[in-house]
Amino acid sequence: MASSKVWINLTLALEDAQLQQDLLALSDHWQDSERLCNIAYCFRKTNTMVLLANKHANSASPTPWSFLRHYLGRLGSWPRALKALVEMAQVSPSLFNDFRIGLVTLPQPIEAPKPDCKTNLYSALGRMAPAGNAIQLEYTRQSLLGSRIDDFAMRFLQEYTEPNFRPGVHAELMLMEHFYQNKLDFINNDSYIGCSKPSCYCCDLYIKHHPGNFVPRPCHGNVWKSWRAPVPPVLGEVEAAKFTANILNSMAASIRRDVMFQIASKNLLRTRLPDSSTEMSTSQPQ
């Protein structure tokens, strides 16, 4: 048994030494962006990436190995995207013959609403619990009080009144509203909004509850406190406010369900995942 442990430790040491050597060789090209990305792309087919994938898969939560694998995947995603673009040009050359690149202007961030007597954790929970179900509301409050989060109620108000808290609209929602409100056509009726990153939790809900029936995007599940819904500028002020309020009210039902489920499951501190995609298989290099 002892000899087996020594052999395993020796094998791991040799693997880590090889991993370190390969990564140091990669760092020699950090000033040459094109070469760095090409090498990172080729890494996905090497034993080095297999070792990183194994270290990532064997950990219950993100580790430095997981982040290293993620950043290598991000670097390698650029040659992969170019390859996909060239392949698409061969299949549908007409898409690249006559096109224009335009800008959709994002609205300026707004000031947060002023807090009042109902801007506190207990009032928020009262609005989320089913109407008339005092028992579930009390159980939910006690679950938070019994959690390991120190002074959860104080954190709720402190984060809400953060001086730099200025909610802004995310890019994919502005593009979506631009197409929807201006009645623009999608190629092959594929109503998908492309973006360099998966959507956040709130953008994902907004897209799913939008009347435009857009194709859902990937979602990393992270929640941004500074998120706000777009207000379509092509509509009148009253119509725009009503349109946005209808979507937010639909979203609220899903948010209530998710919040109550997370509190009940005692899983209040979910590990934040990277916003961008690693773009590699978890099991093996691509």
Side-chain angles (χ1 to χ4, degrees), residues 235-248:
L235 300 177
E237 185 175 347
V238 175
E239 287 186 52
K242 183 178 179 180
F243 177 85
T244 302
N246 287 336
I247 298 178
L248 291 177

Side-chain angles (χ1 to χ4, degrees), residues 181-212:
Q181 300 297 341
N182 291 286
K183 298 180 174 57
L184 302 179
D185 295 327
F186 286 87
I187 295 176
N188 297 327
N189 294 320
D190 183 12
S191 55
Y192 179 83
I193 300 295
C195 193
S196 61
K197 295 181 179 181
S199 294
C200 70
Y201 172 78
C202 291
C203 283
D204 180 62
L205 287 181
Y206 188 93
I207 293 172
K208 290 177 178 177
H209 290 281
H210 193 278

Side-chain angles (χ1 to χ4, degrees), residues 3 24 30 52 55 70 96 134 149 157 159 177 208 221 275:
S3 60
L24 286 174
W30 69 274
L52 277 178
K55 290 178 179 293
H70 173 72
F96 300 85
I149 299 179
L157 185 58
E159 294 186 356
E177 289 297 357
K208 290 177 178 177
D275 293 341

Side-chain angles (χ1 to χ4, degrees), residues 115-261:
D116 56 26
C117 61
K118 295 184 179 180
T119 310
N120 57 73
L121 179 62
Y122 287 161
S123 293
L125 289 176
R127 293 188 291 274
M128 288 188 174
N133 196 335
I135 296 178
Q136 182 177 353
L137 176 58
E138 185 59 27
Y139 172 79
T140 302
R141 288 172 172 170
Q142 292 301 321
S143 296
L144 282 180
L145 291 174
S147 69
R148 290 180 294 176
I149 299 179
D150 296 331
D151 207 349
F152 197 88
M154 182 176 292
R155 279 189 56 190
F156 180 90
L157 185 58
Q158 285 178 341
E159 294 186 356
Y160 186 90
T161 55
E162 168 66 36
N164 296 323
F165 177 53
R166 296 178 63 82
V169 181
H170 290 184
E172 61 265 49
L173 297 192
M174 283 303 300
L175 282 174
M176 191 176 72
E177 289 297 357
H178 175 73
F179 270 76
Y180 181 75
Q181 300 297 341
N182 291 286
K183 298 180 174 57
L184 302 179
D185 295 327
F186 286 87
I187 295 176
N188 297 327
N189 294 320
D190 183 12
S191 55
Y192 179 83
I193 300 295
C195 193
S196 61
K197 295 181 179 181
S199 294
C200 70
Y201 172 78
C202 291
C203 283
D204 180 62
L205 287 181
Y206 188 93
I207 293 172
K208 290 177 178 177
H209 290 281
H210 193 278
N213 195 30
F214 288 86
V215 177
R217 302 191 65 256
C219 175
H220 52 64
N222 294 333
V223 178
W224 297 111
K225 297 176 296 182
S226 57
W227 182 92
R228 78 175 176 101
V231 178
V234 298
L235 300 177
E237 185 175 347
V238 175
E239 287 186 52
K242 183 178 179 180
F243 177 85
T244 302
N246 287 336
I247 298 178
L248 291 177
N249 287 334
S250 298
M251 290 172 58
S254 297
I255 294 173
R256 290 190 189 101
R257 180 199 63 218
D258 292 344
V259 169
M260 301 301 282
F261 174 80

Side-chain angles (χ1 to χ4, degrees), residues 4-22:
S4 298
K5 290 183 178 179
V6 171
W7 176 251
I8 292 174
N9 290 334
L10 178 60
T11 302
L12 291 175
L14 291 174
E15 289 179 347
D16 288 346
Q18 182 63 47
L19 185 58
Q20 182 181 23
Q21 180 180 341
D22 292 344

Side-chain angles (χ1 to χ4, degrees), residues 29-38 75:
H29 304 285
W30 69 274
Q31 290 183 320
D32 187 345
S33 300
E34 182 178 352
R35 181 162 177 75
L36 182 64
C37 290
N38 284 326
L75 288 172

